[in-house]
Amino acid sequence: MPFEDSSQLGDPMDRKADGMLKKSWEAAMFGVKTNISATSVARAMYIWLGELDERLKDKTPREEIRDSIPLLRSATAFLADASAESIRFSAKEAAFANTARRALWMKAWSGDKASKAKLCSIPFSGEYVFGPTLDKILEKAADKEKRVSGRKRYQKEALSSIPAPTEIL
C-alpha cells in the first residue's frame, strides 16, 4: 500500500472504521504483551513454589522459607494486576471492533455525516451492534414523525374547513 494513514479513504465511515480497527489492533497487542508478562511471572512462580516445596521437605529453617514469601506475594499481586489489565484491553478491543462494525453498517444508510458519527459513538450495551440505545432513538424519531404528520393532518383539516374565496362571494 502506498499510504499508511486513512486519508486516502474517501468515505468518512471508511475512515472511521479504519481508525477503530487500528485502535482495536493496538488494544489487542497491549493485551498480548500483558499476557506474555503474566505467563512469564506465572511460570517463574511455579518454579519458586517447587523450590519452596523442596525446602520444606529438606527441613530448611523457617526464616529462610519466610524470606521467599515477599517475592511470591509480589508475583501474585502482579498476576492480579495483569489479569485486570488484560480484561481492560480486551474490553477496549471489543468496543473498537464494534464501532468499526457500526461504521460499516452506517455506510449503507443515507443519513448525514453528523448523525452517522453520533450513532457510531453511542455507548455499547446488549448483544447487537447498536444495542438498546438505537431502539430509543428510533422510538423518539417515530413519535416525532407521528406528531409532525398529526400536525400536518390537523392543518390540512383546518384549512379545508375555511371556505374558498370563490365560495364567499
Side-chain angles (χ1 to χ4, degrees):
M1 286 267 172
F3 57 90
E4 189 59 34
D5 63 5
S6 62
S7 65
Q8 298 294 324
L9 299 173
D11 187 283
M13 289 295 109
D14 285 344
R15 288 193 300 272
K16 179 85 167 173
D18 182 61
M20 291 298 108
L21 290 171
K22 281 181 185 176
K23 288 181 178 184
S24 176
W25 170 258
E26 290 169 2
M29 289 303 98
F30 281 126
V32 167
K33 289 177 184 178
T34 301
N35 288 326
I36 288 170
S37 299
T39 301
S40 299
V41 170
R43 290 283 178 202
M45 202 169 159
Y46 178 79
I47 293 168
W48 297 334
L49 287 170
E51 290 172 0
L52 180 62
D53 188 42
E54 289 299 317
R55 286 182 175 180
L56 289 170
K57 288 178 186 173
D58 293 343
K59 307 262 192 252
T60 303
R62 180 180 167 106
E63 287 306 313
E64 281 185 44
I65 292 173
R66 286 188 58 140
D67 289 344
S68 63
I69 290 177
L71 182 63
L72 291 170
R73 286 182 65 137
S74 293
T76 303
F78 176 84
L79 290 174
D81 292 344
S83 296
E85 283 295 299
S86 181
I87 291 167
R88 190 172 68 86
F89 288 129
S90 293
K92 277 186 166 186
E93 180 184 3
F96 291 139
N98 189 61
T99 303
R101 287 185 64 208
R102 287 177 177 178
L104 290 175
W105 279 75
M106 289 285 106
K107 269 188 78 167
W109 184 47
S110 61
D112 61 290
K113 292 176 189 176
S115 296
K116 288 181 177 184
K118 187 174 182 179
L119 283 173
C120 281
S121 64
I122 59 175
F124 176 76
S125 63
E127 60 188 81
Y128 300 110
V129 175
F130 290 95
T133 306
L134 180 62
D135 294 335
K136 291 176 187 172
I137 292 169
L138 292 174
E139 286 172 13
K140 278 184 181 178
D143 288 345
K144 186 177 179 181
E145 182 63 32
K146 284 179 189 174
R147 284 193 305 265
V148 169
S149 66
R151 268 193 227 132
K152 286 180 183 175
R153 187 175 58 247
Y154 174 74
Q155 288 171 347
K156 211 181 226 183
E157 289 170 3
L159 288 174
S160 66
S161 66
I162 299 173
T166 56
E167 293 175 16
I168 297 173
L169 300 172

